[in-house]
Amino acid sequence: MKYKSVFDIIGPVMIGPSSSHTAGAARIGRVARDLFGRKPAYAHISFYGSFAKTYRGHGTDVAIVGGILDFDTFDTRIVDALSLAKEQDIEIKMTEEDAITDHPNTARIVLGDEHGKIELVGISIGGGKIEITELNGFDLQLSGEHPALLIVHNDRYGAIAGVANVLAKHQINIGHMRVSRKEKGQEALMIIEVDQNVDQVLVEEIEALPIVQQVVKINE
C-alpha cells in the first residue's frame, strides 16, 4: 500500500481514541450535515460490522453525532455531542445492525426535518479517511477531502457537457467525476470533486440548467 503523506499513516489531529472509529465517524457525520445543509430535526444512525460491536466503547456514537452537529475532528465538544444534540432538540436514534457489509466500519445515516430528508452510507477506511458510498439510493465515491458538487439531474444527453461548460467558464478544474443513475432515462447523480471552493453564483448557474434538479456544494 502506498501512502501520500505521513498523515495517511498516523492519522489526523482528533479527539481519541481511534482514527477509524472516532475521526472517521465524525467526518462521516459532518459530510451528512453538509449534504443536508441545515440542522436536522432527527438523526437515525445504523452501525454495521466493527462499528456495531464497539461504537459505545470507542466513542463512535459521540463522534458521528458531533459531526452531525458540524464539529471538526479536533473539536473538544465532541465528547458532549449527545447531550448537546438533546439541548438542540435533535432526536438521535442508534441501531446495531447484523447485516454483513463490504467494509467493517460502516454507518448509515438518515437526517431529516419537516422539509425533507437524506440517507447516506459512509465507511471509515483508516487514518481518519472516509468514503461516502451511497446517497439517497445512488452509488457514489466521495472522500469528503476535497470541495465537491453533487448534482441531481435528468439522465439526458448533454447533462455532463452543460455542467462542464459552467465549470470551465468559472475556471474550476475537475479532479474527479462520477455519474450514477438508478435507471436509464430517469434521475441521475453527478459527483464532481474540484480543486477549489465554489461560490453560490456558480451553483445557481448550474441549477439554472434545464436538466438540473438540485445542486449541493461541499467546500473545505
Side-chain angles (χ1 to χ4, degrees):
M1 180 180 293
K2 294 182 179 179
Y3 296 96
K4 295 180 180 179
S5 74
V6 67
F7 295 105
D8 291 345
I9 303 173
I10 66 173
V13 177
M14 64 177 191
I15 303 299
S18 163
S19 62
S20 293
H21 285 236
T22 51
R27 284 180 170 164
I28 292 170
R30 200 173 190 196
V31 170
R33 172 63 179 264
D34 285 342
L35 293 174
F36 191 61
R38 57 190 180 275
K39 185 184 83 170
Y42 62 84
H44 296 167
I45 305 160
S46 300
F47 294 113
Y48 299 82
S50 178
F51 270 1
K53 296 175 182 177
T54 63
Y55 72 92
R56 289 192 180 94
H58 284 192
T60 307
D61 51 353
V62 295
I64 205 163
V65 172
I68 291 168
L69 295 177
D70 205 24
F71 299 161
D72 209 335
T73 55
F74 53 78
D75 195 316
T76 56
R77 293 176 295 175
I78 281 179
V79 296
D80 299 314
L82 295 177
S83 59
L84 291 172
K86 186 175 181 179
E87 289 177 9
Q88 295 185 32
D89 294 321
I90 301 174
E91 174 203 330
I92 303 294
K93 179 181 177 182
M94 297 186 184
T95 306
E96 302 169 23
E97 300 288 353
D98 295 326
I100 298 174
T101 55
D102 291 336
H103 195 282
N105 298 332
T106 299
R108 180 180 298 272
I109 302 176
V110 179
L111 300 183
D113 60 16
E114 60 182 353
H115 302 295
K117 72 175 185 177
I118 66 164
E119 180 174 353
L120 65 79
V121 175
I123 61 175
S124 178
I125 59 179
K129 294 181 177 297
I130 68 165
E131 188 172 289
I132 305 302
T133 60
E134 184 181 318
L135 175 63
N136 291 344
F138 289 104
D139 294 330
L140 71 157
Q141 291 176 306
L142 180 67
S143 69
E145 295 183 358
H146 308 286
L149 290 166
L150 283 79
I151 303 164
V152 180
H153 61 95
N154 298 325
D155 182 28
R156 299 289 188 272
Y157 67 87
I160 294 174
V163 171
N165 286 337
V166 175
L167 294 176
K169 173 184 172 183
H170 289 265
Q171 298 182 330
I172 301 293
N173 190 49
I174 297 173
H176 176 79
M177 174 185 282
R178 179 187 171 103
V179 178
S180 177
R181 65 184 182 183
K182 298 175 183 178
E183 292 184 32
K184 181 180 178 181
Q186 301 300 312
E187 195 174 66
L189 176 67
M190 197 182 306
I191 308 101
I192 305 174
E193 292 187 339
V194 296
D195 291 344
Q196 65 257 57
N197 288 337
V198 298
D199 58 31
Q200 191 60 29
V201 173
L202 183 147
V203 170
E204 291 173 359
E205 195 167 334
I206 294 176
E207 285 179 331
L209 295 173
I211 44 80
V212 171
Q213 300 176 22
Q214 182 184 9
V215 181
V216 175
K217 65 176 178 177
I218 300 176
N219 283 335
E220 288 182 318

